């Protein structure tokens, strides 16, 4: 995969089924069935567990998101 491809993938707002494509600094949203529940920047990922930790905006709280519980999508990188 080239960096050109990475840029294209990271600028879309498609739902992620695999958090391994997330990179530190990506801005993401976590959506529950009815609305956006969390929004922030990726700090750390654990793809083998299907989780990602973000720093929520604007307050800076660190939050763990599970891909089973939320629909996660990249807003920007």
């Amino acid at each position: 995969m080239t960096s050109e491809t990475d840029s294209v993938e990271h600028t879309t707002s498609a739902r992620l089924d695999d958090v391994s494509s997330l990179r530190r600094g990506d801005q993401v949203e976590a959506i529950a069935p009815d609305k956006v529940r969390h929004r922030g920047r990726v700090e750390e990922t654990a793809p083998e567990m299907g989780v990602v930790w973000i720093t929520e905006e604007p307050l800076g709280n660190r939050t763990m998101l599970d891909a089973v519980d939320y629909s996660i999508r990249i807003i920007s990188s």
Side-chain angles (χ1 to χ4, degrees), residues 27-62:
Q27 186 173 8
V28 297
E29 289 180 333
I31 304 164
D34 56 344
K35 66 180 179 176
V36 173
R37 297 292 182 177
H38 304 280
R39 180 177 288 138
R41 297 243 174 230
V42 173
E43 289 297 319
E44 189 177 347
T45 62
E48 65 282 356
M49 296 178 359
V51 298
V52 59
W53 287 266
I54 66 168
T55 300
E56 287 198 73
E57 296 171 353
L59 299 177
N61 298 330
R62 184 173 161 102

